[in-house]
């Protein structure tokens, strides 16, 4: 991958934001949304954004698949391509529920995977224009400037976590485990917001329950290339074609180890989200 590819992906994402997303957004003004499942909204902006991105990305790498969130909803067989060859993975509007409510955060996520392993990740915040980019072995940037994650000098670490668990008992156990040693914040259901927050030191870690590829592939490589760590609770690497739940994203390996040990010692299992992060 080269800088020309980075620019092409960025241009496609900015076009999607400019043409499909921002014309439909007014702060404080909700818009109509359909519901694919409980708590999973979809709007005209999602659909138009994915159409733009699919068209633009399809021509960048010969033979590469494109797997988008909305297309996969209508044709689940597309999920089988997440681990096959070269694959673009598209979340055309992450944080749709926030967007539909006239609120932030929301964003666009694009990842590139080879045989199921993320090798490139791009994250755009349409509200601010902030653009995050990472390629395997090449580091991570925000708006073109190198970014380096690291633990902050806080007495109590800031941890973000979704409150949406299928099992109330597990949810209560998680919050009870964290509240004694961490400052726990509610994750706003937008992975496109959470990964940059960690890299910029605003959060020390975020815990994710459901980890489908379009929500996480871009963020995982971005954070790992920035010097943080995103991995399964057992320490294994994230794969785009692995449907298991549970992911710890942290500002540095040491912080990751601290959080993982805390959860393991308490017997807390992250998998089991009723609704997407």
């Amino acid at each position: 991958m080269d800088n020309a590819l980075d620019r092409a992906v960025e241009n496609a994402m900015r076009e999607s934001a400019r043409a499909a997303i921002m014309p439909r957004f007014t702060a404080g003004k909700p818009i109509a949304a359909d519901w694919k499942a409980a708590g999973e909204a979809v709007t005209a902006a999602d659909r138009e954004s994915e159409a733009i991105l699919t068209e633009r990305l399809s021509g960048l790498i010969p033979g590469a698949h494109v797997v988008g969130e909305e297309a996969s909803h209508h044709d689940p067989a597309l999920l089988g391509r997440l681990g096959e060859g070269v694959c673009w993975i598209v979340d055309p509007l992450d944080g749709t529920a926030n967007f539909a409510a006239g609120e932030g955060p929301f964003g666009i996520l694009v990842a590139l995977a080879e045989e199921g392993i993320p090798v490139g990740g791009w994250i755009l915040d349409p509200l601010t224009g902030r653009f995050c980019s990472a390629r395997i072995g090449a580091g991570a940037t925000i708006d073109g400037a190198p970014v380096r994650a690291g633990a902050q000098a806080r007495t109590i670490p800031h941890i973000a976590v979704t409150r949406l668990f299928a099992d109330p008992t597990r949810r209560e156990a998680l919050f009870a485990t964290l509240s004694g040693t961490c400052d726990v914040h509610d994750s706003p259901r937008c992975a496109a917001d959470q990964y940059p927050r960690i890299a910029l030191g605003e959060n020390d870690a975020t815990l994710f329950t459901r980890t489908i590829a379009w929500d996480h592939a871009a963020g995982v490589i971005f954070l790992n290339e920035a010097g943080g760590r995103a991995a399964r609770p057992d320490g294994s690497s994230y794969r785009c074609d692995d449907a298991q739940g549970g992911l710890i994203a942290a500002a540095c390996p040491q912080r990751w180890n601290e959080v993982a040990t805390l959860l393991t010692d308490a017997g807390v299992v992250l998998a089991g989200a009723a609704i997407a992060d």
Side-chain angles (χ1 to χ4, degrees):
M1 288 187 288
D2 55 24
N3 291 334
L5 183 65
D6 278 340
R7 289 193 297 271
V9 175
E10 179 178 1
N11 289 340
M13 294 172 75
R14 291 195 184 279
E15 178 185 350
S16 175
R18 181 174 60 252
I21 295 174
M22 293 311 295
R24 294 181 168 94
F25 179 77
T26 301
K29 184 178 179 180
I31 64 170
D34 299 323
W35 299 92
K36 296 181 289 187
E40 292 192 57
V42 61
T43 69
D46 296 76
R47 299 184 180 101
E48 185 178 345
S49 175
E50 183 161 308
I52 292 170
L53 290 166
T54 298
E55 180 183 359
R56 299 294 183 270
L57 297 173
S58 293
L60 296 181
I61 300 176
H65 308 296
V66 180
V67 177
E69 178 178 4
E70 304 313 324
S72 299
H73 173 68
H74 294 289
D75 182 7
L78 289 173
L79 296 174
R81 294 182 173 179
L82 290 171
E84 298 177 355
V86 180
C87 180
W88 292 105
I89 302 166
V90 175
D91 190 336
L93 179 53
D94 184 43
T96 300
N98 301 332
F99 173 82
E103 304 171 353
F106 52 86
I108 301 172
L109 293 156
V110 171
L112 186 65
E114 294 181 0
E115 304 296 338
I117 303 298
V119 296
W122 300 269
I123 307 171
L124 176 66
D125 181 345
L127 285 171
T128 65
R130 181 184 66 200
F131 184 71
C132 303
S133 175
R135 290 177 285 147
I136 193 160
T141 65
I142 295 180
D143 295 330
V147 61
R148 194 70 184 167
Q152 300 298 302
R154 296 188 178 105
T155 304
I156 300 177
H158 291 190
I159 309 293
V161 59
T162 179
R163 295 179 182 272
L164 300 171
F165 275 76
D167 186 336
T169 301
R170 267 193 283 180
R171 180 184 63 230
E172 294 306 317
L174 174 61
F175 277 83
T177 297
L178 295 174
S179 61
T181 57
C182 305
D183 185 2
V184 183
H185 300 264
D186 189 21
S187 175
R189 295 181 59 195
C190 181
D193 170 73
Q194 287 299 302
Y195 285 102
R197 276 184 176 273
I198 298 167
L200 291 169
E202 296 170 21
N203 287 344
D204 293 294
T206 297
L207 308 182
F208 297 103
T209 49
R210 202 179 79 162
T211 59
I212 199 158
W214 48 73
D215 285 330
H216 295 282
V220 164
I221 187 168
F222 171 74
L223 184 59
N224 285 337
E225 285 295 319
R229 187 181 188 200
R232 297 295 187 185
D234 65 1
S236 60
S237 298
Y238 179 83
R239 286 188 56 91
C240 299
D241 56 350
D242 184 352
Q244 71 173 304
L247 186 70
I248 300 171
C252 66
Q254 179 182 348
R255 187 70 77 193
W256 191 97
N257 289 336
E258 291 170 357
V259 174
T261 299
L262 188 66
L263 298 180
T264 299
D265 290 348
V268 172
V269 178
L270 287 180
I275 303 173
D277 297 317

